[in-house]
Amino acid sequence: MELPIFEPFKTKMVETVYKSSREQREQWIKDASFNLFNLKSDQVIIDLLTDSGTGAMSDRQWAAMMTGDESYAGASSYYNLKKAVTEITGFDFFLPAHQGRAAENVLFSALIKEGDLVPGNSHFDTTKGHIEFRKAIPVDCTVDIAMDFTAYYPFKGNVDLARLEDVLKSNPRGKIPCIIVTITNNTAGGQPVSMENIRGVSRLARKYDTSLFLDSARFAENAWFIKTREEGYPDKGIREIALEMFSYTDGMTMSSKKDAIVNMGGFTAYRDKELFRKASAYNIIYEGFITYGGMSGRDMNALAQGLYDGTDEEYLRSRIGQVAYLGSLLKEYGVPVLEPFGGHAVFIDAYSFLPLIPKEKFPGQVLAVELYIEGGIRSAEVGALMADRDPVTRENRFSGREMIRLALPRRVYSDNHMKYVAAAVNAVYERRKSINRGLKIKWEAPILRHFTVELERF
Ligand SMILES: *Cc1c(COP(=O)(O)O)cnc(C)c1O
């Protein structure tokens, strides 16, 4: 008999989970203008808003914090991090940054100018924000099957190579400074990109004289899916697979708050020394000197260890296993979930969950609010609110998917917490036919509005 899989760690310190009543939550969410970002964390019972910066560090990471070197230039912590980055990614040149969007800011300052096109697979919201802020245009070339909620395809995060080639072909040279491939594809549901696809994109980048960068926040989870789903990789190690993924590219941006299991941090890495030098100037302006870039020495030490923790195979097995566990509990209840289950989160289809709420009334957000009221669970809308308005027409982008995302912090919640979450979702599901009030926008920011939007009930 095979013994069950379990978490390859045990608890050394605990944090209290605050409980609350339904009446309290009704009031709190009103006070928060129906935006879950506005809630205080102690008004939340289980916080699945994001897996970003919410992970639990290991004892080794905490130990590394104690030996942080806070020298302005040339700190040993910088060299510890450099060694880890080079070992895990294969890139010789890297620049620390305080988080992923800061890394994007540094790279894009060096690469992107007004009027450029930046093709890729459903760019992450801050990536899109940084591109559009520069009056350049992100072009989504994700495979069509990604839009099918339940069709099984092992790599739903892939780039449609024919579509990408059309974009590359039909544009004059110099207009496309780079292609950004996001691994795993967060916006498509934490879905992985295959090695074959990365190789194919890389080939096209060479053919059309442009460059390829990986938005690598969840590179280790992506490597896990390659190992378990792609032919030729089951016997390879996670780090070997990660090195191969990066080997086809010109560099990367990294939000270390995801797969590197730190609470803050990021970096960019480069193959080309010239580009590294150009980006270094922006790193100094925006982030800090090139040997710390917005991070304290102790944080660089924790990140260095986190890169090893996050690429540990046993850890990834339990991590991705927990996401699938929550997904399968929901599926047993009949809840419409995105399949196959992704790396860091379970996504619920708000259109089929709440058929009485038309898309103009933000069903994704309505569902997130109902789940909060039901069980104190904080999730995130991935739908029209997050999609922002079209930068040219200023129309709402209602054409995409409406989902809520239940993102699982790393090494934080137990499977009992997952059972609680699934039961709360089911309780909302059972009363879905009585949920008929939508939401409308009271106030919104011109870009990345979902973080600060204020809503009211229709
Ligand atoms: C989180 C994330 C970012 C931005 O990183 P921050 O650390 O939140 O600034 C960029 N891309 C992807 C894919 C991400 O998941």
Side-chain angles (χ1 to χ4, degrees), residues 423-453:
V425 173
N426 184 47
V428 181
Y429 194 58
E430 288 188 335
R431 62 179 174 82
R432 67 189 181 280
K433 297 214 169 89
S434 64
I435 300 171
N436 51 20
R437 289 187 71 186
L439 290 164
K440 68 175 177 209
I441 294 177
K442 222 165 46 177
W443 178 85
E444 67 187 292
I447 199 165
L448 294 176
R449 65 179 178 183
H450 60 289
F451 288 113
T452 52
V453 68

Side-chain angles (χ1 to χ4, degrees), residues 99-101 104 124 126 182 186 215 217-218 255 257-258:
Q99 63 183 96
R101 69 199 68 186
E104 290 167 350
F124 184 71
T126 62
T182 307
N186 183 352
D215 179 353
R218 299 183 185 82
S255 167
K257 302 168 69 173
K258 321 294 173 35

Side-chain angles (χ1 to χ4, degrees), residues 57-175:
M57 292 210 295
S58 65
D59 52 354
R60 288 189 189 190
Q61 287 178 287
W62 282 108
M65 297 274 292
M66 289 298 176
T67 56
D69 175 355
E70 305 303 338
S71 305
Y72 191 98
S76 63
S77 305
Y78 166 77
Y79 288 102
N80 289 340
L81 179 54
K82 184 173 164 58
K83 179 167 174 280
V85 168
T86 304
E87 266 179 36
I88 300 286
T89 71
F91 293 116
D92 287 331
F93 304 108
F94 98 104
L95 293 166
H98 77 273
Q99 63 183 96
R101 69 199 68 186
E104 290 167 350
N105 189 32
V106 168
L107 175 69
F108 294 170
S109 294
L111 266 187
I112 297 177
K113 54 186 189 320
E114 187 172 337
D116 282 349
L117 298 183
V118 184
N121 56 341
S122 11
H123 309 69
F124 184 71
D125 55 359
T126 62
T127 318
K128 185 158 65 77
H130 270 295
I131 295 169
E132 290 178 348
F133 183 73
R134 289 174 170 76
K135 301 201 162 55
I137 303 161
V139 187
D140 187 359
C141 302
T142 309
V143 290
D144 282 333
I145 197 166
M147 290 301 286
D148 186 323
F149 231 81
T150 52
Y152 182 81
Y153 183 65
F155 295 101
K156 271 179 160 173
N158 276 359
V159 176
D160 183 326
L161 295 178
R163 194 173 293 164
L164 174 64
E165 185 155 20
D166 282 344
V167 176
L168 295 169
K169 223 191 291 188
S170 61
N171 281 281
R173 266 167 201 268
K175 272 269 175 220

Side-chain angles (χ1 to χ4, degrees), residues 134-260:
R134 289 174 170 76
K135 301 201 162 55
I137 303 161
V139 187
D140 187 359
C141 302
T142 309
V143 290
D144 282 333
I145 197 166
M147 290 301 286
D148 186 323
F149 231 81
T150 52
Y152 182 81
Y153 183 65
F155 295 101
K156 271 179 160 173
N158 276 359
V159 176
D160 183 326
L161 295 178
R163 194 173 293 164
L164 174 64
E165 185 155 20
D166 282 344
V167 176
L168 295 169
K169 223 191 291 188
S170 61
N171 281 281
R173 266 167 201 268
K175 272 269 175 220
I176 299 181
C178 61
I179 303 164
I180 305 281
V181 173
T182 307
I183 54 170
T184 56
N185 186 332
N186 183 352
T187 315
Q191 298 292 320
V193 178
S194 71
M195 191 73 86
E196 189 190 4
N197 196 248
I198 295 173
R199 229 182 276 124
V201 175
S202 174
R203 225 179 287 122
L204 289 176
R206 305 283 163 269
K207 183 171 169 191
Y208 291 94
D209 200 20
T210 182
S211 57
L212 168 59
F213 286 79
L214 294 182
D215 179 353
S216 315
R218 299 183 185 82
F219 76 96
E221 290 169 4
N222 201 80
W224 171 265
F225 285 117
I226 288 176
K227 179 179 171 68
T228 51
R229 291 184 186 170
E230 191 161 350
E231 212 187 307
Y233 291 92
D235 297 328
K236 297 204 165 149
I238 295 298
R239 291 183 193 143
E240 192 183 357
I241 293 171
L243 275 175
E244 185 182 338
M245 294 190 306
F246 292 120
S247 75
Y248 301 121
T249 73
D250 300 281
M252 62 186 284
T253 56
M254 177 77 185
S255 167
S256 309
K257 302 168 69 173
K258 321 294 173 35
D259 276 359

Side-chain angles (χ1 to χ4, degrees), residues 290-303:
I290 59 172
T291 66
Y292 74 87
M295 296 186 75
S296 50
R298 53 183 168 271
D299 287 341
M300 288 193 283
N301 265 5
L303 169 52

Side-chain angles (χ1 to χ4, degrees), residues 14 21 60 90 94 107 110 138 140 172 200 205 236-237 255 281 285 390 393 403 419 457:
V14 297
S21 69
R60 288 189 189 190
F94 98 104
L107 175 69
D140 187 359
K236 297 204 165 149
S255 167
I285 295 174
D390 183 285
T393 65
M403 311 188 282
K419 280 188 213 157
R457 279 202 167 119

